[in-house]
Amino acid sequence: MVQKSEKIWFDGRLVPWDEANVHVLTHTLHYGAGVFEGIRAYECADGGSAVFRLEDHIRRLLDSAHILGLTVPFDKDELVEACVEVLKVNGFSSGYLRPLVFIGTGAMGVHPGDNPIRVAIAAWQWGAYLGEEALEKGIRVRTSSFTRHHVNVMMTKAKACGNYVNSVLAKVEAVKDGYNEALMLDTQGFVSEASGENIFIVRDEAIKTTPLTSVLPGITRNSIMALAAELGYEVLEQLFTRDELYIADEAFFSGTAAEVTPIREVDHRTIGQGKAGPVTRLLQQEFFKIVKGENPDYASWLHRYEI
Ligand code: PPE
């Protein structure tokens, strides 16, 4: 159960958690045409706090809305400020932020008419997405029986609510079958992404991730690519197959919620040594240093705040 906080930002004002409600005829609830973000704030080594790449997440939120043709009644600066306000008012020195843009009530039927576009930003405490042990030891993954979106069926550059029906199907199936996460292939059969993460593989010190064609342009993915390049690794954005994943030395998922989660097994094949490999460990460790303000080279990625 998600733990209640004091307040949720809703259409420009802070309302008590229990009052942040909508009508059952909310358009997005029926047709899925809304967009959202997932953003993490971390407690820093110096005792302050920082939201990781906040401006980039809000930019992606507005891009997602643009792709779906939704006119957001707040600008980037207002939304950035609102996110920080939600953390502060709830006394959160760290936490997970969930901005959501959705179509409200009015017209029913697929065409949303001139229904209002509404915006909510909630925050809660979210620990390790796949469990503390997952971050340490790695997770077990299955290739899903569900294919990831085709670029002209769903808009893969948008973090759209409706896109996640595919994710829910895949995730529930994987968990029922005893796995931690589902890996999906694209419509051509190449590795795409997981239900809520991008994927990386490592072989002979070279790092590969899928091109952006069918996947969400992950902000963690982008951060890991920059970090890995800075650490001297070759980083390729290239299509790869599931058997290339099977024979990787290391593999890991990236995402705001999942952070850097090692993969120790895929479809009953052990990946590498069956535990977090050295490259994954290094990237994970350096990633955590960055988000906690321990690497001044990446200070521009942090939106600092005090509670
Ligand atoms: N692919 C998908 C499908 C996805 O949902 C996410 C984030 C990513 C890639 C990684 O993107 P980024 O967070 O910018 O690095 N998934 C969010 C939602 C997870 C959830 O269960 O809800 C997240 O990690 O916040």
Side-chain angles (χ1 to χ4, degrees), residues 288-304:
F288 281 126
K289 273 193 202 157
I290 291 172
V291 298
K292 291 178 181 162
E294 291 172 56
N295 185 342
D297 294 347
Y298 293 89
S300 67
W301 280 354
L302 305 184
H303 188 111
R304 307 287 304 219

Side-chain angles (χ1 to χ4, degrees), residues 36-40 52 57 60 96-98 124 126 129 148-149 156 158-159 163-164 166-167 171 181 184 192-199 214-223 253-259 287:
F36 68 100
E37 268 306 318
I39 312 170
R40 269 193 196 266
F52 185 60
H57 278 282
R60 189 174 65 185
Y96 184 84
L97 282 161
R98 171 55 56 84
W124 63 85
W126 220 359
Y129 184 59
R148 197 55 176 160
H149 301 301
T156 56
K159 195 167 169 68
N163 287 7
Y164 283 80
N166 178 253
S167 291
K171 178 81 181 195
E181 186 53 284
M184 282 175 284
S192 176
E193 63 181 338
S195 71
E197 302 93 350
N198 294 115
I199 187 167
S214 71
V215 306
L216 186 75
I219 289 167
T220 320
R221 171 188 179 280
N222 174 276
S223 308
F253 284 137
S254 72
T256 298
E259 299 165 314
F287 175 77

